[in-house]
Amino acid sequence: VIRCRAAVAWAVGKPLSVEEVEVSPPKAGEVRVKIVATSICRTDDHVLEGCFPNVVFPVIPGHEGAGIVESVGEGVTSVKPGDKVIPLCLPQCGECSFCLNPESNYCLKSHVSEPQNLLPDKTSRFTCKGKQIHHFLWVSTFAEYTVMPEYAVAKIDTAAPLDKVCLLGCGFPTGYGAAINTAKVKPGSTCAIFGLGGVGLSVVMGCKAAGASRIIAIDINKDKFAKAKKLGATDCISPHDFKKPIQEVLTEMTGHGVDYSFEAIGHVDTLTAALASCNMNTGVCVMVGVPASGSVISIDPMLLLSGRTWKGTLLGGWKMRDCIATLVSSYLEKKFNSDVLISHTLPIAKVNEGFELLRAGK
Ligand code: NAD
Ligand code: ZN
Ligand code: ZN
């Protein structure tokens, strides 16, 4: 058993509490990882707000991390102690029907099908003050040591800087892949991105890499525009600057609407606006933001009848275990610059300050 620090969420709506926790050794088929760095994704904040009823408290959140394998359980062959790894918040068991389908990146062992509060044997490896603490998406990267199934971890290049590539655990591949894999943005096309957080800015990077000629970035926080422009946005607009709905503004700007629209906020109103912003026939709208569970969207069916495509993405469509190492190599070859997404670097003791900065739009 290892004693180390972790940021524990004891109850909904409460700040995280940095505690000493006990982390049990990995059982058969599991891996214990020393987390070196983790980033904060808005999904972690959704957890603290209590948006997901299937997340059980107390819990150690965090799902965008990078670390080093400390020990492995019986039967583990794909990683060994000392390997640099990225924990996968979307696992890849390699055996289920979706894993076997080359077009799917959704594994049936993922959280949307199966709760991941406990490891597959329905027990936790974490305790604190005598209480069992739950896992989050099996990865719980807000702990200095964490345990996950082997199929929820991927080995990466030994040269990878862990404090930078932790972003490849969720935010960057989600946004970048939403453009490249899910929408399959074509060269010369026009794109609109709603929300310019870590995920939305990664969509901007993906649209640029795919050769889009016009990239319209939308956010109510204009402080986000400088980075969006640096990454390839050609126009930056705030819905607050217009009297008419933003979908009408975008339709006027482009003639018939954009070719591809992306929602990276997670609100039902912006999801609907993003759908109506792409052209009525060949337009593709990708839902990236995660709305609170139980949300319902009501739309005019004519929006889809005329031919539009509305799709969602989890982790940008990458089969995570197969693709993460390649993405890390592309990062090392400077094929994209995800470092631009790093705004602040804090020690774990200041994790709540990190969330304050996120909420303040900084
Ligand atoms: P973030 O909070 O950093 O960014 C959201 C941005 O949206 C902010 O810049 C904010 O100013 C802007 N915004 C808020 N309301 C707006 C409005 N009405 N109009 C325009 N802009 C508005 O969040 P993030 O970490 O980039 O995550 C974005 C979303 O993606 C979250 O919902 C998160 O849960 C989700 N997400 C989904 C996946 C996936 O696999 N699909 C993976 C990671 C994150
Ligand atoms: Zn995330
Ligand atoms: Zn699977």
Side-chain angles (χ1 to χ4, degrees):
V1 174
I2 292 179
R3 282 169 189 281
C4 65
R5 285 177 307 170
V8 179
W10 288 101
V12 170
K14 293 267 172 2
L16 288 159
S17 169
V18 179
E19 310 272 7
E20 187 179 83
V21 299
E22 295 83 37
V23 186
S24 299
K27 292 192 185 174
E30 296 175 356
V31 179
R32 186 160 59 182
V33 175
K34 176 185 163 70
I35 296 291
V36 174
T38 182
S39 34
I40 300 178
C41 168
R42 179 63 84 163
T43 306
D44 297 308
D45 194 42
H46 294 333
V47 168
L48 302 182
E49 287 169 345
C51 293
F52 309 123
N54 63 353
V55 172
V56 182
F57 288 75
V59 60
I60 299 175
H63 63 284
E64 250 184 50
I68 297 166
V69 174
E70 177 273 335
S71 59
V72 299
E74 203 188 307
V76 171
T77 54
S78 63
V79 292
K80 59 178 187 318
D83 282 348
K84 282 189 177 174
V85 290
I86 289 186
L88 309 177
C89 54
L90 197 63
Q92 187 185 342
C93 77
E95 290 168 0
C96 72
S97 59
F98 285 151
C99 278
L100 294 172
N101 178 346
E103 283 173 24
S104 160
N105 79 324
Y106 184 80
C107 171
L108 284 167
K109 297 208 159 60
S110 300
H111 62 283
V112 187
S113 325
E114 242 185 59
Q116 294 179 329
N117 320 307
L118 298 170
L119 292 183
D121 75 343
K122 304 293 174 214
T123 61
S124 168
R125 303 290 161 271
F126 296 120
T127 52
C128 177
K129 298 175 177 164
K131 285 206 176 80
Q132 171 181 278
I133 310 294
H134 294 89
H135 294 250
F136 173 57
L137 301 180
W138 281 341
V139 294
S140 292
T141 61
F142 291 172
E144 289 175 314
Y145 286 85
T146 182
V147 179
M148 67 214 69
E150 180 182 15
Y151 49 78
V153 70
K155 185 178 168 175
I156 57 167
D157 195 311
T158 48
L162 298 176
D163 59 336
K164 304 287 192 293
V165 299
C166 56
L167 290 163
L168 273 55
C170 175
F172 176 77
T174 296
Y176 196 73
I180 289 187
N181 302 325
T182 312
K184 298 190 169 52
V185 168
K186 288 187 187 141
S189 59
T190 299
C191 303
I193 298 99
F194 288 69
L196 304 173
V199 176
L201 289 172
S202 303
V203 178
V204 172
M205 282 191 252
C207 293
K208 173 83 182 162
S213 56
R214 193 167 184 198
I215 301 172
I216 306 170
I218 302 142
D219 204 296
I220 49 175
N221 178 355
K222 292 185 181 177
D223 293 344
K224 305 273 179 161
F225 292 171
K227 263 188 193 176
K229 285 208 169 122
K230 187 173 170 191
L231 294 171
T234 52
D235 309 69
C236 292
I237 56 174
S238 165
H240 289 166
D241 289 343
F242 302 91
K243 286 213 174 72
K244 54 178 81 160
I246 195 71
Q247 56 270 39
E248 287 180 25
V249 174
L250 287 162
T251 305
E252 276 174 21
M253 283 173 78
T254 54
H256 300 285
V258 297
D259 299 309
Y260 306 95
S261 57
F262 300 86
E263 202 272 5
I265 304 165
H267 294 165
V268 293
D269 51 343
T270 42
L271 280 163
T272 318
L275 175 64
S277 302
C278 66
N279 90 60
M280 65 187 291
N281 182 221
T282 56
V284 175
C285 175
V286 181
M287 168 177 176
V288 192
V290 180
S293 25
S295 308
V296 174
I297 298 186
S298 131
I299 57 151
D300 176 351
M302 287 308 288
L303 282 169
L304 296 176
L305 190 74
S306 56
R308 280 187 180 87
T309 304
W310 200 8
K311 46 199 322 201
T313 193
L314 284 174
L315 270 297
W318 306 99
K319 272 192 188 290
M320 289 294 273
R321 223 170 147 206
D322 292 347
C323 297
I324 274 293
T326 314
L327 273 173
V328 168
S329 303
S330 300
Y331 166 86
L332 292 170
E333 290 159 17
K334 301 199 185 326
K335 290 191 178 153
F336 55 79
N337 182 10
S338 48
D339 294 357
V340 175
L341 305 176
I342 302 171
S343 56
H344 301 77
T345 303
L346 302 166
I348 181 92
K350 292 191 176 175
V351 63
N352 287 312
E353 211 173 286
F355 278 91
E356 291 308 322
L357 288 163
L358 176 76
R359 292 176 196 130
K362 297 194 171 136

